Amino acid sequence: MRKILVVHNRYSQHGGEDEAVAAEIAMLRSRGHELVELFEDNRRAHEMRRSHVAANTIWSREWHSRLTDVLKRFRPDIAHFHNTFLLISPSAYYACRDAGVPVVQTLHNYRLLCPNAIMLRDGEACHLCVGRAIPWSGVWHACYRGSRAESAVVAGMLTIHRMLGTWQDRVHAYIALTEFARRTFVEGGLPADKLFVKPNFVDPDPGAGDGRGEYALFVGRLAEDKGLEILLRAWALCRPSVALKIIGDGPLRGSLAEIVRELPGVELLGWKPKGEVIDQMKGAAFLVLPSLAYEGFPMAIAEAYATGLPVIASGHGSLAEIIIDGQTGLLSRPGDAIDLGAKIRTLLDDKGARARMRELSRAEFTAKYSADRNYARLVDVYSEAISASRSTQAKPLLTRV
């Protein structure tokens, strides 16, 4: 599998998923693979007619044609997809089928189960659409961008491709980022024998920090699902003597700036490049991620572990799996500002516990989230996809479209 095609639909706002894709591309190139990268950008959708965007979401003729041409010229051993939403669409898988190229799809979020991709509604985890042939609830509750019309387009895409067997037959291997995500996707109908777990990773290894800065840190998108309002409420309740630094950008930045003005010691730093984020992590006492959503695998946690930084996070979904409660951090009740404040106070008051957690967090990175371990797992998944593709090609082909 020397030649690899990597396909990714970037989001309108750069985030952790884009960082994870870039890290994986760099890792593959550093190990001698020949890559062709194909990227789309959802910012282009703002220049298109709504009807055109809706049609492309379900089936993009443009991307089917583009992939067909690239596959003929490059002849990759495997095609690795990350995000196909909004503009690439599942039509890309069919171009790979016609070219006889195995397909791997990384599941960075829960889009194949949930129209809004994060399984969150009204500030709480939601499973209403999981396992449903037609995700009516996502349309009724306007889960995608608060619009029933736009939610219907996403639900239509999911329903049509379930009927066509796209998710079952056109992808040879799926990568889930945690065991929790894998179980959830199996519950939602994806084939268990095609689902493999491979977490995110950090490369190069930044080395451990010392935590002498004595401040807490949040790193992520400034959006409702990240639980920032819960964090600020908890901070106001426990009134710690150290600073809280918030790194990131997003739709809540304006409203958060108003709240922060009333909270001494809280700094809204905006977006920072990765190098500066790592430097801040090395000096922090702990990272706080009070997400209301289940999350996929936040790059901030992988980076925190790489620098030996303990994490306080919501005790549900993938976060409850990644954080080892009492060892690499603490888990709090999702959406509970009082409990989160108690966990913050616990770590601030116990420097000995923080020191032990720093060692255990760094050990967790070395054991699970280094580039070498990640590469070995990725090669295994590629091998599984190639094997599954050969098995499929040996059977009579049933054309569904």
Side-chain angles (χ1 to χ4, degrees), residues 95-109:
C96 293
R97 178 203 64 181
D98 295 341
V101 175
V103 169
V104 171
Q105 172 68 60
T106 296
L107 301 165
H108 291 278
N109 55 44

Side-chain angles (χ1 to χ4, degrees), residues 1-7 34-38 67-81 95-96 99-103 386 389 393:
M1 63 195 81
R2 186 178 63 86
K3 300 172 71 176
I4 302 168
L5 174 66
V6 178
V7 185
E34 182 182 351
L35 268 66
V36 164
E37 304 164 34
L38 290 181
L67 261 294
T68 297
D69 180 60
V70 170
L71 290 164
K72 285 179 180 178
R73 289 186 287 106
F74 182 51
R75 298 184 180 277
D77 299 307
I78 203 151
H80 188 161
F81 292 83
C96 293
V101 175
V103 169
I386 291 170
S389 175
Q393 291 170 12

Side-chain angles (χ1 to χ4, degrees), residues 214-218 235 242-246 284-288 348:
E214 286 294 310
Y215 53 85
L217 189 65
F218 170 92
W235 205 259
V242 302
L244 168 63
K245 298 184 179 184
I246 298 174
F286 51 84
L287 182 75
V288 191
L348 285 175

